Amino acid sequence: MGHLTYGNTDAAIEVADALLVHLRAVTVTKLRRNESFALTVPTCDGSVQTLWVHASIPLRFSFEGDPQLHRPLLAKMMEAANSANGLDLSRDEYTESLEQARELQAVSA
């Protein structure tokens, strides 16, 4: 599991490594364009929290390895980040998309 640290706190949010790599790519792209967005993440206690991602707020992404990026998942996440509701990682659709991409990669290998 990777970790996302938001703001000036030591409390980290656990996110699967492969999903966190995609989130990092989306976040860096949005912030490079000077675009803020809402990010909803599940917490360890089963609740969710919504964060406002802005260039002035420190973010740290920590993960192991170098998971591959999958363009369809990146496009889906970027579209959500551009929406009024923001990117909601508490929804299963991103994990399911990542699993489908892995299955396709395994079949084609």
Side-chain angles (χ1 to χ4, degrees):
M1 279 293 223
H3 295 94
L4 170 66
T5 307
Y6 177 80
N8 292 324
T9 180
D10 290 331
I13 301 164
E14 284 192 354
V15 180
D17 287 337
L19 195 56
L20 190 59
V21 169
H22 289 78
L23 176 60
R24 181 185 66 174
V26 169
T27 302
V28 168
T29 300
K30 294 283 288 172
L31 294 180
R32 188 177 334 119
R33 296 175 181 166
N34 204 23
E35 298 172 354
S36 303
F37 66 101
L39 171 65
T40 302
V41 292
T43 60
C44 294
D45 65 3
S47 63
V48 296
Q49 58 181 311
T50 300
L51 312 171
W52 184 247
V53 180
H54 185 273
S56 67
I57 302 170
L59 282 174
R60 187 172 65 238
F61 299 88
S62 305
F63 53 88
E64 297 210 11
D66 191 20
Q68 288 188 327
L69 292 173
H70 300 284
R71 284 191 182 275
L73 179 55
L74 278 174
K76 185 183 282 191
M77 290 175 74
M78 185 60 86
E79 183 178 336
N82 287 331
S83 73
N85 292 328
L87 179 54
D88 186 351
L89 295 184
S90 67
R91 298 174 59 188
D92 291 334
E93 70 180 278
Y94 303 110
T95 305
E96 290 169 1
S97 292
L98 194 54
E99 289 171 7
Q100 288 172 356
R102 286 182 184 149
E103 289 172 8
L104 284 174
Q105 187 176 15
V107 169
S108 65

